[in-house]
Amino acid sequence: MKHTVEKITPSRAKVVVDVDKDLWNAAQEKAFNKAAAHVNVPGFRPGKAPRQLVAERINQEALWNEAIEEVLNPVFAQVITEEKLSPMYRPQVNVTKLSKDELELVYTMVLVPEVKLGEYKGLEATEEAPSVTDNEVKDAIDQLLKGNAELVLAERPAKLGDTVVIDFDGYLPDAEGKLKAFEGGQANNYSLELGSHQFIPGFEEQLVGMKDGDKKEIKVTFPTNYVKELAGKEATFKVAMHEVKEKQIPELNDEAVKDLNIKDVSTVAELQDYEKKTLLSQKVQQAENAFYNTLVAQIVKNASFVIDESIIQNEAKQMEDNLKKQIEQNGLTFEQYLDITGTKAEDLQKTYLANAENNLKEFLALHEIGVQEKLDVTDADVDAEIKKMAEQYKMKEEEVRSILEKNMDDFKNQLADRKVRDFVMASAKKAAPKAAKAAPKAEKAAPKAEEAEAPKAEKKAPAKKAAPKKESK
């Protein structure tokens, strides 16, 4: 089939195809027969009318469109096979010549990104040697005990750290200064831990000192970076206190340890050893991840890429769409999220574009290492991992395999990623950590907005924080 290929850019190609005449005629005939089956000619049985009479009742443009659809896929498949092209998406198709005897198609396609690896073996990075202090072990155990604390009624005024059960109604002044209830500012039997900062600043603190049966009016001012409807406004809340509860944290002893239900841990000494090992394991994993990420950054820096901008934009769009879904699940709109976080939509888009480009480069580079080093996932690899999982979860191998079967491709991709990671780590050199230097205490930096997931934003008051497409000429 006669065709020409033109590289519009390093990442885009245009293919002009003069469709084989016999193929085009066969497609038209098939389209005609399909349409004729639904044409009724008075005086003739279906399928028995003369072709000319049937043709007069068929829309020629519709017939050509049907015939074009018939040839689009096979023509495209043949061309990309012969030219060894790898389109990323369905191509854009234009019909540039069209007649009974001639069809010319122009396919414009975005090509799969390319990567040329630089140095990726024997790279050097620093890996910290983690350690765990006694204070860290004590803090971890304290958190376990707090998590196992009981809430009991307290016959006294509320204080910070208590959990209270309240009713509240929120009001804003109207143009005449009269208080009117606003949407989202009411709740009954609401449990709130004082000092948890779930509500807007000043709300929880003003509940301190109230006890069961008390009622109180409190005034608070919404933050300026709150939702537009409430930002910067002073509100009045009428609060009724129903219960005050305090936490009873268990004393650290062997009985309290047993209540934690940690396997093979029943004494204070065993718990301390368990927490020390757990914390050390976490720190070792964090150090390994940091080491690997440093190596990957070097691999990306050493490589060169050809990535069409549209691919990066699509990836960034998916990130933004995921964020919006998470925000909506938190009961906010995207605009409210931007107001609360003080983020500009254009800045967020720039961040996602940068993240998308980096993610694509990392994926391409690591995938290419797998190709170059022939780090294929074999059936034996799959079997070994399934056996390991079966032993870990006390299951039969057949049960594990059955669970994984629906997502076997994803499972194999995970194993492939692990092989590449192990290869990169094994070939790298570990530099000795630099001696820590005493540094002046820095001012706390302003927190950055989370890009990949929706933050726990404050709610309203007192509110908690393939086949190608065708375009005819």
Side-chain angles (χ1 to χ4, degrees), residues 292-323:
Y292 179 64
N293 290 338
T294 301
L295 296 175
V296 172
Q298 292 182 49
I299 291 170
V300 169
K301 184 178 179 181
N302 294 341
S304 58
F305 303 86
V306 178
I307 307 175
D308 194 83
E309 187 63 29
S310 66
I311 299 174
I312 298 173
Q313 291 172 351
N314 285 340
E315 290 292 319
K317 181 68 166 53
Q318 288 183 18
M319 291 181 181
E320 185 174 326
D321 289 344
N322 288 337
L323 172 65

Side-chain angles (χ1 to χ4, degrees), residues 3 18 31 103 137 149 152 172 178 181-182 193 214 237 245 262 267 292 302 325 348 352 359 392 442 460-461:
H3 62 269
D18 184 5
L103 174 64
V137 173
V152 296
L172 290 173
K178 295 181 180 180
F182 60 88
E193 181 180 342
D214 285 354
F237 286 92
K245 300 177 182 179
I262 300 174
T267 67
Y292 179 64
N302 294 341
K325 288 178 182 177
L348 198 60
Y352 282 151
N359 291 347
Q392 179 181 356
K460 291 188 177 179

